[in-house]
Amino acid sequence: MKKLIVLIILISSFANAQFYEIDFEVQPQIRLTAKAYEAINNHYKDKKDREKAIESIEKIDTLFYKFSYNNELSQSAIIEKIDNSQNYNDDRIQISPKIGGKSYVNYKEMLFYTEKDFNDKAINVYDSVYKINFVDTGKTKTILGIETKEAKGKYKDVDIIAWYAPSIPYNYSPDIYYGTKGLILELHYMYILNEAEVLISWISTKKKELKKEPIFKNNKILQTVSLSELTEMYNKNAENFKEIMNQGVDKK
């Protein structure tokens, strides 16, 4: 009888599990501080060049992601959109969320994994995600028809605000900061980069309930390295290229 009760509970829990695919707009912004403006003025002596630089900072692309999750993992995958605008500017600044382009998070390991190209070869790269000690503020709002609560936290010099759904009992996030008492449906974090304030905002725009739990597969055949190891590999490549180029220069 006890086994039957446990089985019923497990079936009921699985049936009530809510798995969604959620579309996010990721809106990066840069707020120039007084020191940042001073640095720009010192770097660009010509007024038109300064104005062009400031304009490129103020017009950062919005990115689009699909986020999904199961009982152990979540995945954030960028949606590539073609920009046919005649005003496309190759010099504009690109700011991306810390999770990268297409990654999945293993919350038990507290790591995210993503595939990157190195020397025309795909490799698996991993780095840390961070469980934040979020504190509820008492504020609430409805997102995509779901009641959410606001919580704030901090990681080193990064200030974080999350709106999460207590009714969806997964402490997951579309980016590297997680740990709320429910699924994060909106996320904002701010940090300082080169004397400027960088703000990344994840705004959910659409949700689709999935009929079954999604499965995420890691390509275990690929070489797996940490992000710091990949950085060293890139640096070594650059040094080797520099040596090759120097060897081709006639010394007099």
Side-chain angles (χ1 to χ4, degrees), residues 4-246:
L4 179 61
I5 292 172
V6 170
L7 181 61
I8 291 171
I9 292 172
L10 287 173
I11 293 172
S12 175
S13 298
F14 182 78
N16 293 327
Q18 293 170 292
F19 299 110
Y20 290 104
E21 181 182 80
I22 302 171
D23 287 5
F24 280 94
E25 286 189 5
V26 180
Q27 302 168 355
Q29 300 175 55
I30 295 181
R31 298 170 181 169
L32 295 175
T33 63
K35 287 186 176 180
Y37 275 113
E38 183 181 351
I40 290 173
N41 289 335
N42 291 335
H43 185 76
Y44 298 98
K45 301 303 181 183
D46 183 79
K47 183 181 177 181
K48 289 185 178 180
D49 289 340
R50 286 198 300 271
E51 290 175 349
K52 185 178 179 181
I54 292 172
E55 183 182 3
S56 68
I57 290 171
E58 293 175 343
K59 292 184 178 180
I60 304 175
D61 287 346
T62 295
L63 304 174
F64 302 90
Y65 275 78
K66 278 195 181 297
F67 171 77
S68 52
Y69 59 93
N70 58 30
N71 278 313
E72 296 181 353
L73 311 170
S74 70
Q75 179 177 271
S76 295
I78 196 167
I79 305 169
E80 299 291 349
K81 295 200 175 185
I82 299 173
D83 184 357
N84 293 319
S85 170
Q86 297 298 317
N87 298 320
Y88 184 84
N89 180 7
D90 289 332
D91 296 328
R92 60 187 169 186
I93 293 176
Q94 302 292 328
I95 299 288
S96 298
K98 293 182 179 291
I99 196 70
K102 181 178 180 180
S103 305
Y104 77 88
V105 176
N106 186 315
Y107 293 93
K108 289 183 179 179
E109 296 178 354
M110 294 182 68
L111 296 172
F112 74 85
Y113 293 83
T114 187
E115 286 188 22
K116 291 185 177 291
D117 288 329
F118 180 76
N119 288 347
D120 296 324
K121 177 184 176 183
I123 60 173
N124 208 15
V125 181
Y126 67 89
D127 200 13
S128 298
V129 295
Y130 304 101
K131 190 171 185 179
I132 306 301
N133 183 25
F134 280 105
V135 178
D136 286 358
T137 66
K139 294 181 179 179
T140 63
K141 68 177 178 179
T142 302
I143 300 176
L144 300 179
I146 301 172
E147 289 299 311
T148 66
K149 294 183 178 181
E150 183 189 55
K152 292 185 177 181
K154 192 175 182 69
Y155 175 76
K156 294 184 178 180
D157 61 343
V158 182
D159 295 307
I160 309 158
I161 298 174
W163 290 88
Y164 70 94
S167 62
I168 307 177
Y170 297 92
N171 65 348
Y172 301 165
S173 165
D175 211 314
I176 67 171
Y177 305 114
Y178 74 103
T180 49
K181 299 173 183 177
L183 189 71
I184 291 177
L185 295 181
E186 186 172 310
L187 180 69
H188 311 268
Y189 57 89
M190 190 274 290
Y191 57 95
I192 303 297
L193 178 65
N194 297 332
E195 306 295 349
E197 295 178 350
V198 177
L199 175 65
I200 304 291
S201 294
W202 289 78
I203 309 297
S204 57
T205 59
K206 185 173 65 174
K207 76 177 190 296
K208 180 177 75 173
E209 188 165 2
L210 302 177
K211 294 181 179 179
K212 59 182 180 179
E213 182 179 1
I215 298 173
F216 309 118
K217 293 183 179 179
N218 179 22
N219 191 341
K220 296 181 180 180
I221 298 176
L222 298 180
Q223 177 188 3
T224 300
V225 300
S226 68
L227 186 59
S228 60
E229 288 173 331
L230 178 63
T231 301
E232 292 178 7
M233 291 161 65
Y234 278 130
N235 291 338
K236 185 66 176 177
N237 251 20
E239 290 175 7
N240 291 340
F241 181 75
K242 187 176 180 180
E243 289 178 5
I244 292 172
M245 294 301 293
N246 289 337

